[in-house]
Amino acid sequence: MSEEKIKDLENQFEERIARDDKIEPKDWMPEKYRKTHIRQISQHAHSEIVGMLPEGNWITRAPSLRRKVALLAKVQDEGGHGLYLYSAAETLGISRDEMIEQLHSGKAKYSSIFNYPSVTWADIGAIGWLVDGAAIINQVALCGTSFGPYARAMVRICKEESFHQRQGYEIMLTLANGTPEQKAMAQDALNRWWWPSLMMFGPRDEDSPNTALSMKWKLKRKTNDELRQQFIDQTVPQAELIDLKVPDPDLKWNEERGHYDFGPIDWDEFWQVVKGHGPCNRERMEARRSAWENGAWVREAAMAHADKKAKKSLNKAS
Amino acid sequence: MKKNWPLWEVFVRSKNGLEHRHFGSLHAADAEMALENARDVYTRRNEGVSIWVVESKYITASNPENNPEMFEPAKDKVYRHPTFYDLPDEIKHM
Amino acid sequence: MKENLYQYILEIADNCLILGQRLGELCGHGPNLETDIACTNISLDLLGQVRSYYQYAAQVMEDGRTEDDIAFMRMEREYRNTLLVEQPNTDFAFIISRQFMFDLYHYLFLKELQHSRDLSLSAIASKSIKEVSYHLRFSSDWMKRLGDGTEESQRRMQAAINTLWPYFEELFEISDAGKALIKEGIAVDTKGLKKDYLNSAREYLQEANLIMPEVEHFMKGGKSGVHSEHMGYILADLQYMQRAYPNMNW
């Protein structure tokens, strides 16, 4: 294709996105659009799958049967969401196995939040309330993204996730209304998960070079800082309602801005965890790799069986 | 030689009286497994009463590059639509 | 009578609880996403059944205990599950074989329990049997895939079946509580089911290219509360919160 022709297609493409047309997998798209989407969607899928681990850690120890089934269903949903997202990425011409390969080799990233350990039952509450709360803010914005399969996956995911955050907040509420020991457990979890949750929205806008492009393609509808502010504004009153203290001495309502002011985020910690030095990076990858490797013979056997069956029915037919 | 589970497309009828609708896709080694996986993945919340699965490679899709010749000719065939025809006002329903 | 009924409910429900717990360990670690999700669905079904049974048991005893007290606050010797369901998730061949052996029993058992003169039990059975029919379909399909898949999968499956087969007979053992309730038309007389089980199992195994092992000695003990060494660890997880923080609401 001539350069001129490509330029022309690119212009048409940008116009389509500008007027809120959806892009479907077989449509022409700039290579950069395809690559960026494969990267972001697969990263999102990996986050769901790795995200099963810190919560899965408490399935066998959940304190009541009601909590156990709710947690099990929630962790399973995350597996389902990973599946929807891998499927969306697959429409762009990459296989799920390739994406998993990239995760295991360290080439692909996943949300850093899942490299923190879930050490008490209250962490399950905090993860549902804060981590899912932050994720929902991101995901609701993505329901209107330009790439059709991604947008559709997000709509389904948002619908299913509506119980996740409530599940988490209900756990926190119960703990906060419980014994002093339980309340301390809840406060401790909030202390540990608050700052990493704020980091989930990514670096500050001035340190986020891809934001402009992502906004143009509607991979982002709001900037990192805007979403972070939205999360803080909505979460602080929820903490107050159950009498837990957000661990930020600088947190203060700013009448003029109509938002909460908050203290500095430790970006060094963020980058350390991204680089692989979080408390659980190694464990998470080991768990994923070993599940995949231990399952290799199972996947292979199922395929071999299917081939045998197909041959048999072919023989019968001839 | 490693062979991956192929991709399948899943269609679900939400309730009798409605058509099957494309719900998404998944991987399975064979058709039975695809049905079972579809049931486990896509109808966890009571979303369906009937499932179709078809291996993705068997779907033939139109190419968007041909959209002008495929779909635009139908745009100006206004006489296929009821509003094309003028009737006296006395005729309320037709 | 009350005590017998309570014990009998535990015998049924504890199998579901411990197997549900074992499958819960797998969540997030399955051989691929689809299979992971499917196994979790089975776990959720079993735990749902457990809740119905324990709620009923609590109602029978009227001693102020809740479903959770019954699930979490007993001593090891008071759990009535069979040894089969405590066996570990050694590999996916063990998981599927254990599931298949239990599902086939569970299906035959519930089919009869539907006719129990105890209306609560028959109602739970009628609801559960739909779930369990699907479990059996799932596990028996996987038996075929893995038994008649590759050389490696066949070898692993036969090894799993060989190890687990000595545990099947305990499923049919009838406790004293069971005996008393059979007379009342409440409990299922499992003696009559064993033949059906063996016939069906033989067919399934044959189709899966697997051999039903010759077993000289069958393992039992779980139903009378004498468990394998695995059980203590299962309960350590299961009961951790309730033991570490007693008398709290969660």
Side-chain angles (χ1 to χ4, degrees), chain A residues 99 113 115 133 142 221 242 279 290:
Chain A
M99 289 184 266
I113 191 89
N115 291 318
L142 280 170
R221 312 297 297 238
I242 54 177
S290 89

Side-chain angles (χ1 to χ4, degrees), chain A residues 33-318:
Chain A
Y33 182 91
R34 181 186 303 277
K35 286 222 173 92
T36 304
H37 275 77
I38 289 179
R39 196 182 61 232
Q40 170 153 346
I41 301 171
S42 67
Q43 189 172 319
H44 196 161
H46 298 326
S47 301
E48 298 280 354
I49 302 309
V50 177
M52 296 170 82
L53 299 169
E55 291 180 280
N57 182 32
W58 281 90
I59 289 171
T60 58
R61 292 179 293 170
S64 72
L65 290 174
R66 180 172 176 271
R67 293 284 180 220
K68 193 189 283 286
V69 292
L71 180 60
L72 198 48
K74 174 178 189 264
V75 180
Q76 183 199 41
D77 269 354
E78 276 150 22
H81 298 168
L83 193 154
Y84 306 156
L85 289 162
Y86 283 128
S87 302
E90 278 179 281
T91 63
L92 289 167
I94 184 170
S95 74
R96 192 198 292 177
D97 288 50
E98 283 174 84
M99 289 184 266
I100 289 175
E101 191 82 14
Q102 291 175 349
L103 172 69
H104 293 174
S105 71
K107 193 178 157 222
K109 297 263 176 279
Y110 56 90
S111 180
S112 282
I113 191 89
F114 302 117
N115 291 318
Y116 290 88
S118 64
V119 290
T120 72
W121 170 250
D123 289 22
I124 298 306
I127 292 174
W129 173 33
L130 303 174
V131 177
D132 286 78
I136 289 168
I137 287 185
N138 268 323
Q139 289 171 346
V140 166
L142 280 170
C143 288
T145 192
S146 63
F147 185 54
Y150 194 25
R152 289 192 286 275
M154 286 328 307
V155 169
R156 178 178 292 275
I157 289 171
C158 285
K159 224 194 278 173
E160 294 191 353
E161 283 215 340
S162 51
F163 94 84
H164 293 185
Q165 197 189 9
R166 296 170 76 117
Q167 180 251 183
Y169 190 66
E170 194 196 77
I171 290 174
M172 293 303 260
L173 171 73
T174 310
L175 294 175
N177 289 334
T179 64
E181 225 174 341
Q182 283 175 304
K183 188 161 183 190
M185 191 192 277
Q187 182 64 55
D188 169 60
L190 173 57
N191 294 349
R192 282 180 290 107
W193 290 93
W194 175 255
W195 292 104
S197 299
L198 297 190
M199 296 177 198
M200 279 178 74
F201 296 95
R204 279 171 306 199
D205 293 347
E206 62 260 39
D207 302 323
S208 177
N210 294 327
T211 293
L213 192 61
S214 297
M215 296 284 274
K216 189 169 82 175
W217 288 340
K218 296 174 179 163
L219 260 172
K220 270 187 188 159
R221 312 297 297 238
K222 287 181 185 166
T223 69
N224 295 354
D225 286 334
E226 285 169 342
L227 292 170
R228 187 166 15 245
Q229 184 71 58
Q230 185 186 337
F231 173 76
I232 293 170
D233 291 348
Q234 116 188 2
T235 310
V236 171
Q238 293 167 356
E240 282 167 357
L241 191 68
I242 54 177
D243 200 21
L244 293 178
K245 199 175 158 4
V246 172
D248 178 356
D250 298 325
L251 189 79
K252 213 172 67 211
W253 178 252
N254 182 327
E255 195 63 55
E256 207 175 303
R257 286 205 309 132
H259 292 294
Y260 281 93
D261 291 335
F262 54 97
I265 293 172
D266 181 357
W267 291 110
D268 275 350
E269 176 180 321
F270 175 76
W271 290 114
Q272 284 305 317
V273 181
V274 170
K275 281 185 199 137
H277 308 306
C280 297
N281 295 58
R282 186 173 49 80
E283 285 89 337
R284 300 296 183 240
M285 274 308 97
E286 272 172 13
R288 282 316 315 154
R289 276 193 214 112
S290 89
W292 189 245
E293 282 159 18
N294 291 336
W297 70 269
V298 178
R299 297 190 301 274
E300 201 184 322
M303 216 46 238
H305 178 76
D307 286 346
K308 279 188 204 175
K309 229 173 35 177
K311 252 185 221 139
K312 256 187 224 158
S313 65
L314 210 65
N315 285 344
K316 244 187 239 159
S318 63

Side-chain angles (χ1 to χ4, degrees), chain C residues 73-100:
Chain C
M73 298 306 282
R74 281 179 284 153
M75 292 298 161
E76 176 167 335
R77 289 294 309 270
E78 295 168 318
Y79 284 83
R80 298 287 164 206
N81 57 284
T82 56
L83 299 177
L84 175 68
V85 295
E86 335 174 337
Q87 299 306 306
N89 298 343
T90 308
D91 67 7
F92 201 65
F94 274 77
I95 292 165
I96 288 299
S97 302
R98 183 184 64 201
Q99 194 63 40
F100 166 73

Side-chain angles (χ1 to χ4, degrees), chain C residues 162-177:
Chain C
N162 290 349
T163 306
L164 294 174
W165 202 250
Y167 294 98
F168 102 83
E169 205 179 65
E170 191 190 8
L171 292 165
F172 296 90
E173 195 182 71
I174 301 172
S175 66
D176 290 340

Side-chain angles (χ1 to χ4, degrees), chain B residues 45-84:
Chain B
R45 288 176 168 78
N46 199 20
E47 292 98 332
V49 296
S50 164
I51 301 175
W52 291 344
V53 290
V54 58
E55 211 180 316
S56 310
K57 68 175 181 195
Y58 293 120
I59 290 184
T60 309
S62 64
N63 187 338
E65 270 175 39
N66 301 332
N67 276 13
E69 69 202 51
M70 287 284 277
F71 306 114
E72 277 178 31
K75 272 189 186 158
D76 64 353
K77 308 293 189 289
V78 284
Y79 46 80
R80 290 193 195 277
H81 300 281
T83 46
F84 180 73

